[in-house]
Amino acid sequence: MEHGEIEGDGVRLRPYRDTDVADLVAACNDPLVRRFLSGLPSPYTEADARRWITETAPAVAAGGGAAYAVTDPGSDRLLGAVGVDRLVPIRRQGEIGYWVAPWARGRGVATAATRALAGHAFANGLERLELLTDGDNVASQRVALAAGFRHEGVRRAAAPRHGGGRYDLIAWVRLADDPPGPTSRLLPDLPPGGLTDGVVALRPTGPDDVDLMFRLHTLPEVVANRVPPEPPPRGEVEQRCRRAASSWLVGTVADLVVVDVASGEAGGGMALRYDEPLTGQAMLGASMLPEWRGRGLLTRGVRLVTDWAFDTVGIARLWAGCRPDNLAPQRVLEKAGFRREGVQRGRLPGPDGTRVDSVIYAFLPGDRA
């Protein structure tokens, strides 16, 4: 791969220089860089930076990869790093990675650098680039999407964790003939401040919602609709809350918290799961804590999320299911405009090897009239 300077959108990629030492030391001792960049010496010293500049980066380039300093075109100050390594020549494949210094974040540096180097790599013979992100690193996943990479799956326990254990990596891929521009998302972000009608508000679920979600998902009536019908361990709920933003970005599910606007307190949860993107169909699930029921908040929340699903996401059909004897959610769905379509016999696994029927409700955009 050629290793001259590469111009990007507001960034310049160039080989490292001795003038980068101080900024390399400062950036590589930053907690966020260290969290997602394994193998850095602790602390990272001037000697480490000079070794990178004079030995490691040139070795990556000599092996057919690339190791670039990302700099400001005006001041030439180091803003971050971007590179391609782990080449598989027979597949014309490589892996791209980056980090951004703390003084350069929030300016689109990683996206611009990734786009620029990906274009350069494709122009020099590569046909497939992988980008691997920690499942908790939502900012990096947004960079992948903005740079035109597509979600390809999860590599389980693909990386060692500091202090022991392993963690998953999310795989993103861009091909040489993929269309230019960012990757379109199935589930766009909510508007600033979430969705609200002045009485109830919906916001994305996050890591701070574990207690609420654990209580919700261990309620007997909620457990009865789980597959299998067993209460989830707390660790599973913690991971779902921690990965909620990631699941939203890749388009599988939008996890939401139902908030009472007057008090600011959260008392319920909703999930819009895009189960059939090809047909434009999504599934809606919702539940409230017992002390929050009977106030109409969940019905308002369902109306909010259905309007967003139809008008912003572009979903063509929403459906929901519940057990025949669970009448409260059926009333909520009917008040929100869903229509009962029928009963799927033995659809869900029940206790002790039994099967449970499911009442199916559906809502189409035209039903709002």
Side-chain angles (χ1 to χ4, degrees):
M1 190 181 300
E2 296 179 5
H3 297 98
E5 292 187 353
I6 304 171
E7 297 294 331
D9 183 13
V11 298
R12 176 176 294 139
L13 279 54
R14 61 158 174 78
Y16 290 90
R17 299 172 182 164
D18 288 342
T19 52
D20 298 325
V21 168
D23 282 338
L24 269 175
V25 172
C28 290
N29 282 309
D30 173 70
L32 190 59
V33 171
R34 300 190 65 84
R35 179 183 174 189
F36 296 114
L37 198 63
S38 61
L40 287 178
S42 181
Y44 194 88
T45 66
E46 284 192 12
D48 297 317
R50 295 188 186 280
R51 189 177 303 110
W52 172 261
I53 293 170
T54 61
E55 299 177 16
T56 310
V60 172
Y68 280 101
V70 182
T71 63
D72 183 283
S75 66
D76 196 45
R77 185 181 184 185
L78 184 79
L79 304 178
V82 66
V84 172
D85 60 0
R86 295 181 174 86
L87 298 174
V88 185
I90 194 171
R91 299 179 182 174
R92 297 186 181 180
Q93 172 182 302
E95 182 181 324
I96 194 167
Y98 49 79
W99 55 259
V100 177
W103 54 86
R105 292 175 188 148
R107 296 166 43 182
V109 168
T111 298
T114 301
R115 285 175 176 166
L117 185 53
H120 181 74
F122 292 142
N124 280 267
L126 290 186
E127 295 184 1
R128 173 183 162 91
L129 280 174
E130 293 188 343
L131 194 162
L132 303 179
T133 65
D134 187 316
D136 296 342
N137 193 347
V138 177
S140 191
Q141 294 167 46
R142 289 186 177 274
V143 168
L145 287 164
F149 285 71
R150 300 183 189 181
H151 176 253
E152 200 167 79
V154 176
R155 296 189 176 176
R156 296 186 302 147
R161 189 181 300 280
H162 294 299
R166 303 185 68 82
Y167 63 93
D168 298 343
L169 291 175
I170 299 178
W172 306 81
V173 172
R174 184 169 177 83
L175 305 180
D177 58 357
D178 278 345
T183 299
S184 60
R185 288 173 52 187
L186 289 173
L187 294 171
D189 292 329
L190 294 183
L195 304 174
T196 184
D197 63 359
V199 176
V200 68
L202 303 178
R203 62 164 175 80
T205 301
D208 294 336
D209 297 313
V210 174
D211 289 342
L212 168 66
M213 291 302 168
F214 182 68
R215 188 180 170 198
L216 276 173
H217 290 282
T218 52
L219 291 171
E221 60 272 28
V222 176
V223 171
N225 283 297
R226 283 177 54 86
V227 180
E230 300 170 356
R234 187 177 176 88
E236 179 182 311
V237 177
E238 290 175 349
Q239 178 167 299
R240 178 165 177 171
C241 291
R242 199 174 64 247
R243 298 286 173 85
S246 177
S247 297
W248 194 310
L249 283 175
V250 302
T252 54
V253 60
D255 270 319
L256 299 156
V257 172
V258 183
V259 179
D260 172 46
V261 172
S263 66
E265 296 181 2
M270 302 181 69
L272 181 74
R273 185 172 295 278
Y274 215 150
D275 59 337
E276 285 190 12
L278 290 178
T279 65
Q281 175 178 276
M283 179 182 71
L284 181 64
S287 57
M288 295 289 282
L289 294 176
E291 63 268 28
W292 285 69
R293 296 171 187 167
R295 298 164 54 184
L297 298 177
L298 195 57
T299 301
R300 288 175 173 272
V302 171
R303 288 173 179 156
L304 284 171
V305 79
T306 53
D307 285 343
W308 176 73
F310 293 142
D311 298 336
T312 302
V313 183
I315 287 170
R317 182 178 189 271
L318 277 173
W319 74 276
C322 47
R323 291 178 295 108
D325 60 343
N326 198 0
L327 300 180
Q330 296 179 48
R331 288 194 291 268
V332 168
L333 291 170
E334 290 168 357
K335 289 178 183 178
F338 280 72
R339 299 185 185 182
R340 178 175 170 139
E341 289 192 335
V343 177
Q344 289 185 332
R345 295 182 303 150
R347 178 177 178 269
L348 300 173
D352 303 321
T354 60
R355 303 291 300 184
V356 179
D357 295 346
S358 180
V359 180
I360 302 301
Y361 284 81
F363 196 1
L364 305 181
D367 293 340
R368 291 183 289 181

